[in-house]
Each structure stands twice: as structure tokens, then as C-alpha cells.
Amino acid sequence: MHNDFFVNTESRCIQSGEVLMKTTNRTWVHQPNPVGGSNSFTEKTIDADSIAKTQKLLDKAIAYAWYAVKSERRPPALTPIRWVWQLAAAYHSSCDTSQLMEEAAQGFAACGRKNLAQWAAQKVKDEAGHDRLALLDIESMGYDAQSVVQVLVPSAIKVLVDYFTQTVEAPDPIDCVGFSYVSERLGTFLGEEYIQSVQAFLPPGINATRWLRIHSGVGAEVKHIEETVKFVTQLTPQDQVRVAKVCYETALLRFSPPKEDYISDQELKHILKPLELPHKQELKSDYRD
């Protein structure tokens, strides 16, 4: 792990003695002078340059994780039936997000971090109902959605959700900021071209990219990233480093392949066959798994 990255980077040199004070329109950095000197406050302007440096700090953490995961394993190519597996993963990544962010908001409020409590409360609203989009997509693919998500729980997603839960349940839940950033930032790299490539192998007239579109670079993720970066820019240097560290750890989990083999299309067919909705039989002439 590149621990040096978290304490001294090209975009940020952090001294542990710095403390921020915010007024209505400006943010000030308190930098204690050596013994015998007088304390002073210098202005830290939250401008476009500061925001860009913050995003660079967080994105470098994700990039380091990408290079740290040295694996030649790649997931199998997407097929219609494997898209159902992906949608089940999407459901499990979304179904507890609003509840966990509500818990985070309460945790922040309990330790007197009002600004973070407000950020988490906004995330509750932003993520509400996204699990339902995944269920609708699975149903559009011709399967009983609730049954599918009961039997398909990808292990990699379980690891991520467990880690997310851990960040929220900490006495200070600030680590969930880094987790949220990585989840949304990676989504921004999926654009219209990728969405259309998924749509291309689905049966004509099937709309099963609702969840994907919302969590892509053509959905709300870009705006969410802009808001989070601006918010992190206003945190103390210590908190910024902590958020970057969690970005690295979260990205490691996202980029690491599962310990077990990927489930095969044949095994997926065997699992999903009993869960087909009656009308799916009518699509057999057009729809090949």
C-alpha cells in the first residue's frame, strides 16, 4: 500500500497541526506558530483551483488502487443472462444505502459534525428508490425480481456492503464519504456508448438499463461528484487525508476479483430458469440466453 501518498502528495502537503475555521463566506486555516510565536489565521479560499486539487487527491487514491491490484483475471463478457447477475449486484449495492446514510447522518449529528450530517441526509434523498430501479430492470428481463435477488448475492458486492456498513457504524462515520465518492466516481466513467452497448445485446423493446443510466456519466453521478468534491474541499486537511485513504481502500475492493471463480452462464441459466415469468416464454424466439 502506498502509505506515503496519504501524507504527502503533489496536490496536498498536510501538516498535522492545521485546523480550519469557517465563517459565512470564507474558510480560514489556523496554523500554530512555533513556541514563542503568536497564533494566526490565514485565509483559505475555496475556489476552482482548491476544488480541482481536492478531486486530484481523491482520484489519485483510486488510481493507486487500480495499479495496486495486479490481477489478470477479468469478468466474463456480458451476455443477457449475465446482465441479470449484474442487476442483482446493483440491487444489493443499493438496497441499504439510504438506511445506512440515515444512520451516518445520526452518527455525525451525535458527534457534533453538523455539516457532515447535512451531507449524509442529502445522500439519503439522492439514493432513495434506486434498488427499485434494479428490480424493474430484472423484471423487464423476464424474471421474478424479488426471487432473483434472494438467490443471487454476488460475493464481491457483499464484501463492499459489509465495508460500507463498517464505515457507517464507526464512532465518527466520515469514512463513508470516501466510500460514497468511489462508488459515484467510477459510475461517471460509464457513458452513453457503454449504455448503448448493453442495450444492443438485449432483446428489442426491453428496457433494462434504468439503474445503469442513473448511475452513469449521463445520470446524476456527475452532479453528485461535483457536490462531494466541493464539500470535501471544505473539510480539515486531516479529514481530507482520511477520506482519500478510504477512497484507496474502497477502490481496492472494487477492483479486486472475487476469490472464487466467476459464476458461469450455464450455472446462471440453471439458477434462473425456475424464476422466469410466464410472459418470458413468449420471447424465446427472439431472446437467447
Side-chain angles (χ1 to χ4, degrees):
M1 183 181 295
H2 303 271
N3 288 323
D4 56 327
F5 161 72
F6 298 116
V7 294
N8 187 7
T9 75
E10 183 180 320
S11 61
R12 185 84 79 241
C13 184
I14 298 169
Q15 303 298 326
S16 61
E18 293 182 351
V19 179
L20 293 188
M21 282 187 62
K22 291 189 294 181
T23 62
T24 303
N25 299 315
R26 296 176 177 177
T27 300
W28 302 81
V29 182
H30 180 217
Q31 297 175 303
N33 287 331
V35 176
S38 60
N39 288 341
S40 63
F41 285 91
T42 58
E43 184 178 358
K44 176 186 178 182
T45 305
I46 305 301
D47 54 15
D49 184 59
S50 299
I51 292 171
K53 287 180 179 178
T54 298
Q55 181 151 17
K56 185 176 181 181
L57 176 74
L58 304 183
D59 285 353
K60 283 176 69 176
I62 297 174
Y64 275 131
W66 172 259
Y67 289 111
V69 177
K70 297 178 180 178
S71 174
E72 298 300 321
R73 292 179 64 198
R74 294 293 182 269
L78 277 178
T79 59
I81 201 166
R82 189 162 295 279
W83 184 241
V84 178
W85 180 75
Q86 294 270 44
L87 291 170
Y91 168 83
H92 290 293
S93 72
S94 302
C95 64
D96 294 326
T97 300
S98 288
Q99 177 185 336
L100 287 170
M101 280 301 182
E102 179 63 39
E103 292 179 22
Q106 294 172 5
F108 287 132
C111 58
R113 308 194 72 168
K114 183 178 179 182
N115 59 338
L116 282 159
Q118 292 172 338
W119 173 84
Q122 182 59 49
K123 285 298 176 190
V124 174
K125 299 177 182 177
D126 291 342
E127 300 299 322
H130 287 191
D131 54 333
R132 178 60 183 161
L133 294 177
L135 293 176
L136 289 171
D137 286 341
I138 294 171
E139 186 174 316
S140 293
M141 294 294 291
Y143 296 95
D144 182 326
Q146 289 292 348
S147 297
V148 167
V149 297
Q150 286 178 17
V151 298
L152 291 184
V153 186
S155 61
I157 290 298
K158 186 178 185 306
V159 169
L160 277 167
V161 173
D162 288 346
Y163 181 73
F164 183 22
T165 303
Q166 177 185 323
T167 69
V168 168
E169 292 178 347
D172 179 357
I174 191 172
D175 289 354
C176 74
V177 178
F179 182 92
S180 175
Y181 181 82
V182 172
S183 299
E184 295 179 333
R185 183 67 172 121
L186 294 181
T188 65
F189 293 108
L190 304 177
E192 186 64 39
E193 183 178 351
Y194 178 77
I195 296 171
Q196 291 302 320
S197 73
V198 173
Q199 191 65 52
F201 64 68
L202 300 181
I206 296 297
N207 178 14
T209 57
R210 300 174 185 85
W211 189 94
L212 173 61
R213 187 168 290 276
I214 289 293
H215 297 86
S216 73
V218 300
E221 301 292 50
V222 173
K223 180 178 180 232
H224 293 167
I225 284 297
E226 291 174 353
E227 293 169 347
T228 296
V229 171
K230 185 175 181 180
F231 176 73
V232 173
T233 303
Q234 300 175 60
L235 297 177
T236 66
Q238 292 89 341
D239 280 345
Q240 291 174 358
V241 168
R242 185 166 170 179
V243 170
K245 180 176 183 293
V246 176
C247 284
Y248 177 81
E249 293 175 351
T250 303
L252 279 180
L253 295 177
R254 288 290 301 265
F255 297 145
S256 297
K259 294 180 180 179
E260 70 279 5
D261 292 337
Y262 288 103
I263 190 170
S264 69
D265 279 20
Q266 195 61 36
E267 186 177 357
L268 279 171
K269 290 177 184 179
H270 178 73
I271 293 171
L272 293 174
K273 179 64 178 176
L275 307 181
E276 290 182 359
L277 295 171
H279 74 267
K280 188 173 187 296
Q281 300 299 326
E282 302 172 7
L283 302 175
K284 286 299 185 181
S285 60
D286 301 315
Y287 181 15
R288 295 181 180 179
D289 287 336

